[in-house]
Each structure stands twice: as structure tokens, then as C-alpha cells.
Amino acid sequence: MNKQKRHEIFSRWRADNPHPTTELEYDSPFELLIAVILSAQATDVGVNKATRKLYPKANTPEAIYALGVDGLKEYIKTIGLFNAKAENVIKTCKMLIDEHDSQVPDSREALEALPGVGRKTANVVLNTAFGQPAMAVDTHIFRVSNRTKIAPGKNVNEVEQKLLRFVPKEFLIDAHHWLILHGRYTCVARKPKCGSCMIEDLCEFKEKTEF
């Protein structure tokens, strides 16, 4: 795919949705961090249901740490892998209190040192909370990047590096959100909705559908 096509694709997404953001609900970098940790192998809808009950009661590292693992589980037990996630969140809160003055760090190295935070989670926080041009490649972004040929790659790291290289600079901050939303609602896994896709004429997927 050439530079002009990529520029036009992102231009259309920007025109349609000038200020995209995550569908996770949050009011602070800390709330975002916890929501992203909880969202691994879970839906944003499911995480939001849990955090709508949790955050009014506890939305700081101290308050969630005070709940303890068992107390936190009561709020997040509807989310997949909640046992492991509760352990990680409590450990992360302790590290934030002890090592970062209860603030979420804005560096990749410090974020990835937190329990339950991998490269993808760190990228979401760096991009969404701190406005850094990071690219969190989830299943949606991986699929859209390969299917459209915007940034094909064999694994998530390859796709991440290609996106950072190929996405025009003016779109980098918001590209992650446009790609996720496109994969979640239009370029869906089983059968993409090519017939109602705003970039169908630019996409290089060969087996287009009419739906």
C-alpha cells in the first residue's frame, strides 16, 4: 500500500471521527491504567460495568490497595481471569504508592515494570493518558493492518513497528483508536462489512463482501 492511500484512509477516519478515544470509561490516568489491566481478554463493556461500581468506592492506589485482593474481587468477579487480575492490581497499587508517589508513570519502562502491565497496556496508557504516539496492537488492529494492507506483519510487534513507520505523522496520536474502532464495528473478524465501509475503495483486501 502506498503513502497516498494511507493518508487518504486516515483522513477519512479523522473527518468521520475527529476526536476518537477509548471506549473504556475513566477520569484519570490511574483509572485508565486499572481499566486497561482489567480489559485483557475481556470486553470494554464488561470492564465498564465493573468499574462503574468500583471507582465510586475506590479510584486511587491507596483506596484500591485498602480493599485488598478479596475486596477487589467482589467488584471485578464478572470479568475473565479476575483472580489473577485482582492480585496484579493490588501489587500495582502498592508499587505506585511506594515508588511513584501514587502517580501513574509516563515512561514505558516504568509502566512495564508494574504487575499485569505488558507492552500493549503500556502503549494504551502512554497514548491515551499522556498523548504519546504509541501503538497498542490488539487483535482488531492486527487484523485491520493485515487485511487492509496498511501495515501487514506476521506478529503484533512487526505490525506495531510498521504502523509507527507508515502512519503519517499527523495521524499518529489517534491512529490506534481509529484502527480499533474500525476493526470492532466494520472490519469484523468473521465477515468484514465491506459494503458499508468508508475505505472500501482504498483497502487492498481481495475477498470483499457486499454486506
Side-chain angles (χ1 to χ4, degrees), residues 145-175:
S145 298
N146 275 289
R147 199 183 259 167
T148 60
K149 303 294 188 283
I150 287 172
K154 295 185 188 72
N155 55 55
V156 291
N157 287 338
E158 198 177 322
V159 168
E160 179 185 335
Q161 295 312 315
K162 282 193 176 179
L163 284 168
L164 289 171
R165 201 161 76 240
F166 293 155
V167 174
K169 292 242 179 329
E170 66 186 282
F171 303 111
L172 259 180
I173 294 295
D174 292 321

mmCIF file of all heavy atoms in Angstrom, residues 145-175:
data_model
loop_
_atom_site.group_PDB
_atom_site.id
_atom_site.type_symbol
_atom_site.label_atom_id
_atom_site.label_comp_id
_atom_site.label_asym_id
_atom_site.label_seq_id
_atom_site.Cartn_x
_atom_site.Cartn_y
_atom_site.Cartn_z
ATOM 1 N N SER A 145 -4.777 -4.127 10.115
ATOM 2 C CA SER A 145 -3.487 -3.789 9.494
ATOM 3 C C SER A 145 -3.113 -4.800 8.421
ATOM 4 O O SER A 145 -2.603 -4.434 7.360
ATOM 5 C CB SER A 145 -2.384 -3.731 10.560
ATOM 6 O OG SER A 145 -2.657 -2.726 11.501
ATOM 7 N N ASN A 146 -3.372 -6.080 8.692
ATOM 8 C CA ASN A 146 -3.042 -7.119 7.723
ATOM 9 C C ASN A 146 -4.071 -7.205 6.601
ATOM 10 O O ASN A 146 -3.716 -7.319 5.429
ATOM 11 C CB ASN A 146 -2.928 -8.481 8.429
ATOM 12 C CG ASN A 146 -1.551 -8.694 9.026
ATOM 13 O OD1 ASN A 146 -0.575 -8.886 8.304
ATOM 14 N ND2 ASN A 146 -1.452 -8.645 10.344
ATOM 15 N N ARG A 147 -5.342 -7.127 6.949
ATOM 16 C CA ARG A 147 -6.397 -7.302 5.952
ATOM 17 C C ARG A 147 -6.393 -6.163 4.931
ATOM 18 O O ARG A 147 -6.502 -6.396 3.727
ATOM 19 C CB ARG A 147 -7.752 -7.391 6.657
ATOM 20 C CG ARG A 147 -8.841 -8.017 5.803
ATOM 21 C CD ARG A 147 -10.146 -7.991 6.573
ATOM 22 N NE ARG A 147 -10.485 -9.266 7.188
ATOM 23 C CZ ARG A 147 -11.435 -9.416 8.106
ATOM 24 N NH1 ARG A 147 -12.106 -8.372 8.551
ATOM 25 N NH2 ARG A 147 -11.703 -10.606 8.609
ATOM 26 N N THR A 148 -6.264 -4.937 5.410
ATOM 27 C CA THR A 148 -6.294 -3.785 4.505
ATOM 28 C C THR A 148 -4.967 -3.597 3.779
ATOM 29 O O THR A 148 -4.898 -2.941 2.752
ATOM 30 C CB THR A 148 -6.562 -2.486 5.287
ATOM 31 O OG1 THR A 148 -5.510 -2.305 6.247
ATOM 32 C CG2 THR A 148 -7.912 -2.519 5.988
ATOM 33 N N LYS A 149 -3.902 -4.145 4.398
ATOM 34 C CA LYS A 149 -2.501 -3.982 3.949
ATOM 35 C C LYS A 149 -1.920 -2.619 4.357
ATOM 36 O O LYS A 149 -0.897 -2.201 3.827
ATOM 37 C CB LYS A 149 -2.345 -4.172 2.423
ATOM 38 C CG LYS A 149 -2.829 -5.517 1.896
ATOM 39 C CD LYS A 149 -1.980 -6.660 2.401
ATOM 40 C CE LYS A 149 -2.331 -7.986 1.742
ATOM 41 N NZ LYS A 149 -3.561 -8.583 2.263
ATOM 42 N N ILE A 150 -2.560 -1.950 5.335
ATOM 43 C CA ILE A 150 -1.997 -0.697 5.850
ATOM 44 C C ILE A 150 -0.613 -0.953 6.438
ATOM 45 O O ILE A 150 0.323 -0.193 6.228
ATOM 46 C CB ILE A 150 -2.928 -0.068 6.921
ATOM 47 C CG1 ILE A 150 -4.181 0.529 6.264
ATOM 48 C CG2 ILE A 150 -2.197 1.026 7.722
ATOM 49 C CD1 ILE A 150 -5.240 0.992 7.256
ATOM 50 N N ALA A 151 -0.509 -2.065 7.192
ATOM 51 C CA ALA A 151 0.784 -2.403 7.804
ATOM 52 C C ALA A 151 0.826 -3.894 8.099
ATOM 53 O O ALA A 151 0.712 -4.315 9.246
ATOM 54 C CB ALA A 151 0.992 -1.598 9.084
ATOM 55 N N PRO A 152 0.987 -4.717 7.052
ATOM 56 C CA PRO A 152 0.965 -6.165 7.270
ATOM 57 C C PRO A 152 2.187 -6.645 8.052
ATOM 58 O O PRO A 152 3.284 -6.116 7.891
ATOM 59 C CB PRO A 152 0.961 -6.743 5.841
ATOM 60 C CG PRO A 152 1.460 -5.650 4.972
ATOM 61 C CD PRO A 152 1.176 -4.351 5.655
ATOM 62 N N GLY A 153 1.948 -7.624 8.928
ATOM 63 C CA GLY A 153 3.063 -8.190 9.691
ATOM 64 C C GLY A 153 2.690 -9.545 10.234
ATOM 65 O O GLY A 153 1.510 -9.850 10.415
ATOM 66 N N LYS A 154 3.713 -10.367 10.522
ATOM 67 C CA LYS A 154 3.465 -11.741 10.993
ATOM 68 C C LYS A 154 3.079 -11.792 12.465
ATOM 69 O O LYS A 154 2.459 -12.741 12.921
ATOM 70 C CB LYS A 154 4.716 -12.602 10.776
ATOM 71 C CG LYS A 154 5.089 -12.807 9.319
ATOM 72 C CD LYS A 154 6.269 -13.781 9.215
ATOM 73 C CE LYS A 154 6.786 -13.864 7.792
ATOM 74 N NZ LYS A 154 7.507 -12.651 7.388
ATOM 75 N N ASN A 155 3.470 -10.788 13.238
ATOM 76 C CA ASN A 155 3.145 -10.786 14.668
ATOM 77 C C ASN A 155 2.865 -9.349 15.122
ATOM 78 O O ASN A 155 3.069 -8.394 14.355
ATOM 79 C CB ASN A 155 4.274 -11.415 15.484
ATOM 80 C CG ASN A 155 5.612 -10.747 15.210
ATOM 81 O OD1 ASN A 155 5.748 -9.530 15.347
ATOM 82 N ND2 ASN A 155 6.608 -11.527 14.819
ATOM 83 N N VAL A 156 2.420 -9.206 16.368
ATOM 84 C CA VAL A 156 2.000 -7.876 16.829
ATOM 85 C C VAL A 156 3.153 -6.881 16.860
ATOM 86 O O VAL A 156 2.965 -5.699 16.561
ATOM 87 C CB VAL A 156 1.309 -7.940 18.219
ATOM 88 C CG1 VAL A 156 -0.030 -8.627 18.124
ATOM 89 C CG2 VAL A 156 2.180 -8.605 19.256
ATOM 90 N N ASN A 157 4.345 -7.350 17.200
ATOM 91 C CA ASN A 157 5.485 -6.420 17.251
ATOM 92 C C ASN A 157 5.823 -5.873 15.866
ATOM 93 O O ASN A 157 6.127 -4.689 15.705
ATOM 94 C CB ASN A 157 6.719 -7.101 17.862
ATOM 95 C CG ASN A 157 6.577 -7.291 19.361
ATOM 96 O OD1 ASN A 157 5.788 -6.590 19.991
ATOM 97 N ND2 ASN A 157 7.299 -8.229 19.935
ATOM 98 N N GLU A 158 5.756 -6.765 14.865
ATOM 99 C CA GLU A 158 6.048 -6.336 13.490
ATOM 100 C C GLU A 158 5.005 -5.313 13.016
ATOM 101 O O GLU A 158 5.347 -4.291 12.408
ATOM 102 C CB GLU A 158 6.051 -7.560 12.564
ATOM 103 C CG GLU A 158 6.746 -7.314 11.244
ATOM 104 C CD GLU A 158 6.805 -8.578 10.376
ATOM 105 O OE1 GLU A 158 7.002 -9.684 10.923
ATOM 106 O OE2 GLU A 158 6.634 -8.443 9.158
ATOM 107 N N VAL A 159 3.735 -5.584 13.318
ATOM 108 C CA VAL A 159 2.668 -4.655 12.935
ATOM 109 C C VAL A 159 2.843 -3.320 13.665
ATOM 110 O O VAL A 159 2.707 -2.241 13.065
ATOM 111 C CB VAL A 159 1.273 -5.260 13.221
ATOM 112 C CG1 VAL A 159 0.182 -4.199 13.095
ATOM 113 C CG2 VAL A 159 0.995 -6.420 12.260
ATOM 114 N N GLU A 160 3.168 -3.381 14.947
ATOM 115 C CA GLU A 160 3.373 -2.157 15.726
ATOM 116 C C GLU A 160 4.466 -1.284 15.103
ATOM 117 O O GLU A 160 4.281 -0.078 14.896
ATOM 118 C CB GLU A 160 3.765 -2.505 17.168
ATOM 119 C CG GLU A 160 4.019 -1.276 18.031
ATOM 120 C CD GLU A 160 4.529 -1.615 19.427
ATOM 121 O OE1 GLU A 160 4.262 -2.731 19.913
ATOM 122 O OE2 GLU A 160 5.198 -0.763 20.032
ATOM 123 N N GLN A 161 5.603 -1.904 14.789
ATOM 124 C CA GLN A 161 6.730 -1.140 14.224
ATOM 125 C C GLN A 161 6.379 -0.560 12.851
ATOM 126 O O GLN A 161 6.735 0.573 12.526
ATOM 127 C CB GLN A 161 7.982 -2.028 14.127
ATOM 128 C CG GLN A 161 8.531 -2.477 15.482
ATOM 129 C CD GLN A 161 8.677 -1.345 16.483
ATOM 130 O OE1 GLN A 161 9.175 -0.270 16.153
ATOM 131 N NE2 GLN A 161 8.223 -1.555 17.714
ATOM 132 N N LYS A 162 5.653 -1.355 12.047
ATOM 133 C CA LYS A 162 5.275 -0.867 10.709
ATOM 134 C C LYS A 162 4.281 0.290 10.799
ATOM 135 O O LYS A 162 4.377 1.262 10.052
ATOM 136 C CB LYS A 162 4.684 -2.008 9.870
ATOM 137 C CG LYS A 162 5.739 -2.939 9.295
ATOM 138 C CD LYS A 162 5.131 -3.846 8.241
ATOM 139 C CE LYS A 162 6.173 -4.708 7.595
ATOM 140 N NZ LYS A 162 5.603 -5.607 6.582
ATOM 141 N N LEU A 163 3.331 0.193 11.725
ATOM 142 C CA LEU A 163 2.368 1.285 11.893
ATOM 143 C C LEU A 163 3.084 2.570 12.309
ATOM 144 O O LEU A 163 2.810 3.644 11.778
ATOM 145 C CB LEU A 163 1.300 0.913 12.930
ATOM 146 C CG LEU A 163 0.222 -0.065 12.456
ATOM 147 C CD1 LEU A 163 -0.587 -0.590 13.635
ATOM 148 C CD2 LEU A 163 -0.705 0.577 11.418
ATOM 149 N N LEU A 164 4.003 2.449 13.247
ATOM 150 C CA LEU A 164 4.742 3.639 13.692
ATOM 151 C C LEU A 164 5.545 4.245 12.541
ATOM 152 O O LEU A 164 5.753 5.450 12.479
ATOM 153 C CB LEU A 164 5.669 3.280 14.860
ATOM 154 C CG LEU A 164 4.949 2.980 16.185
ATOM 155 C CD1 LEU A 164 5.925 2.416 17.210
ATOM 156 C CD2 LEU A 164 4.265 4.226 16.741
ATOM 157 N N ARG A 165 5.957 3.381 11.609
ATOM 158 C CA ARG A 165 6.747 3.853 10.463
ATOM 159 C C ARG A 165 5.868 4.383 9.333
ATOM 160 O O ARG A 165 6.202 5.366 8.673
ATOM 161 C CB ARG A 165 7.622 2.694 9.959
ATOM 162 C CG ARG A 165 8.822 3.125 9.157
ATOM 163 C CD ARG A 165 9.889 2.058 9.065
ATOM 164 N NE ARG A 165 9.562 0.991 8.136
ATOM 165 C CZ ARG A 165 9.453 -0.296 8.499
ATOM 166 N NH1 ARG A 165 9.616 -0.661 9.740
ATOM 167 N NH2 ARG A 165 9.165 -1.217 7.599
ATOM 168 N N PHE A 166 4.732 3.728 9.091
ATOM 169 C CA PHE A 166 3.927 4.014 7.892
ATOM 170 C C PHE A 166 2.793 5.016 8.100
ATOM 171 O O PHE A 166 2.375 5.675 7.158
ATOM 172 C CB PHE A 166 3.316 2.723 7.337
ATOM 173 C CG PHE A 166 4.310 1.757 6.774
ATOM 174 C CD1 PHE A 166 4.026 0.388 6.721
ATOM 175 C CD2 PHE A 166 5.542 2.189 6.291
ATOM 176 C CE1 PHE A 166 4.937 -0.513 6.200
ATOM 177 C CE2 PHE A 166 6.460 1.287 5.768
ATOM 178 C CZ PHE A 166 6.164 -0.059 5.725
ATOM 179 N N VAL A 167 2.235 5.089 9.320
ATOM 180 C CA VAL A 167 1.110 6.019 9.527
ATOM 181 C C VAL A 167 1.644 7.450 9.454
ATOM 182 O O VAL A 167 2.607 7.790 10.139
ATOM 183 C CB VAL A 167 0.438 5.780 10.892
ATOM 184 C CG1 VAL A 167 -0.627 6.846 11.161
ATOM 185 C CG2 VAL A 167 -0.191 4.388 10.941
ATOM 186 N N PRO A 168 1.045 8.293 8.607
ATOM 187 C CA PRO A 168 1.518 9.681 8.509
ATOM 188 C C PRO A 168 1.529 10.352 9.881
ATOM 189 O O PRO A 168 0.618 10.154 10.688
ATOM 190 C CB PRO A 168 0.490 10.337 7.571
ATOM 191 C CG PRO A 168 -0.078 9.202 6.782
ATOM 192 C CD PRO A 168 -0.083 8.019 7.692
ATOM 193 N N LYS A 169 2.567 11.126 10.153
ATOM 194 C CA LYS A 169 2.796 11.701 11.494
ATOM 195 C C LYS A 169 1.583 12.449 12.049
ATOM 196 O O LYS A 169 1.281 12.382 13.235
ATOM 197 C CB LYS A 169 3.990 12.664 11.450
ATOM 198 C CG LYS A 169 5.333 11.988 11.205
ATOM 199 C CD LYS A 169 6.252 12.220 12.398
ATOM 200 C CE LYS A 169 7.623 11.556 12.278
ATOM 201 N NZ LYS A 169 7.725 10.342 11.547
ATOM 202 N N GLU A 170 0.855 13.153 11.185
ATOM 203 C CA GLU A 170 -0.271 13.958 11.682
ATOM 204 C C GLU A 170 -1.393 13.106 12.276
ATOM 205 O O GLU A 170 -2.256 13.613 13.006
ATOM 206 C CB GLU A 170 -0.833 14.834 10.555
ATOM 207 C CG GLU A 170 -1.481 14.041 9.438
ATOM 208 C CD GLU A 170 -1.910 14.907 8.259
ATOM 209 O OE1 GLU A 170 -2.954 15.567 8.381
ATOM 210 O OE2 GLU A 170 -1.203 14.906 7.227
ATOM 211 N N PHE A 171 -1.397 11.806 11.955
ATOM 212 C CA PHE A 171 -2.462 10.916 12.437
ATOM 213 C C PHE A 171 -2.008 9.993 13.567
ATOM 214 O O PHE A 171 -2.821 9.252 14.118
ATOM 215 C CB PHE A 171 -2.984 10.041 11.284
ATOM 216 C CG PHE A 171 -3.499 10.813 10.107
ATOM 217 C CD1 PHE A 171 -2.816 10.800 8.896
ATOM 218 C CD2 PHE A 171 -4.663 11.566 10.199
ATOM 219 C CE1 PHE A 171 -3.282 11.513 7.801
ATOM 220 C CE2 PHE A 171 -5.144 12.280 9.114
ATOM 221 C CZ PHE A 171 -4.453 12.259 7.906
ATOM 222 N N LEU A 172 -0.726 10.015 13.908
ATOM 223 C CA LEU A 172 -0.177 9.001 14.812
ATOM 224 C C LEU A 172 -0.836 8.963 16.188
ATOM 225 O O LEU A 172 -1.062 7.888 16.734
ATOM 226 C CB LEU A 172 1.333 9.206 14.991
ATOM 227 C CG LEU A 172 2.229 8.269 14.172
ATOM 228 C CD1 LEU A 172 3.686 8.572 14.450
ATOM 229 C CD2 LEU A 172 1.920 6.801 14.462
ATOM 230 N N ILE A 173 -1.131 10.117 16.753
ATOM 231 C CA ILE A 173 -1.683 10.127 18.112
ATOM 232 C C ILE A 173 -3.029 9.403 18.174
ATOM 233 O O ILE A 173 -3.318 8.682 19.125
ATOM 234 C CB ILE A 173 -1.837 11.583 18.638
ATOM 235 C CG1 ILE A 173 -0.470 12.238 18.800
ATOM 236 C CG2 ILE A 173 -2.597 11.604 19.963
ATOM 237 C CD1 ILE A 173 0.419 11.607 19.857
ATOM 238 N N ASP A 174 -3.866 9.571 17.157
ATOM 239 C CA ASP A 174 -5.218 8.990 17.184
ATOM 240 C C ASP A 174 -5.361 7.687 16.392
ATOM 241 O O ASP A 174 -6.417 7.048 16.447
ATOM 242 C CB ASP A 174 -6.230 10.010 16.640
ATOM 243 C CG ASP A 174 -6.394 11.213 17.560
ATOM 244 O OD1 ASP A 174 -6.389 11.017 18.789
ATOM 245 O OD2 ASP A 174 -6.518 12.336 17.055
ATOM 246 N N ALA A 175 -4.317 7.292 15.665
ATOM 247 C CA ALA A 175 -4.426 6.139 14.760
ATOM 248 C C ALA A 175 -4.867 4.873 15.474
ATOM 249 O O ALA A 175 -5.703 4.112 14.962
ATOM 250 C CB ALA A 175 -3.078 5.903 14.066
#
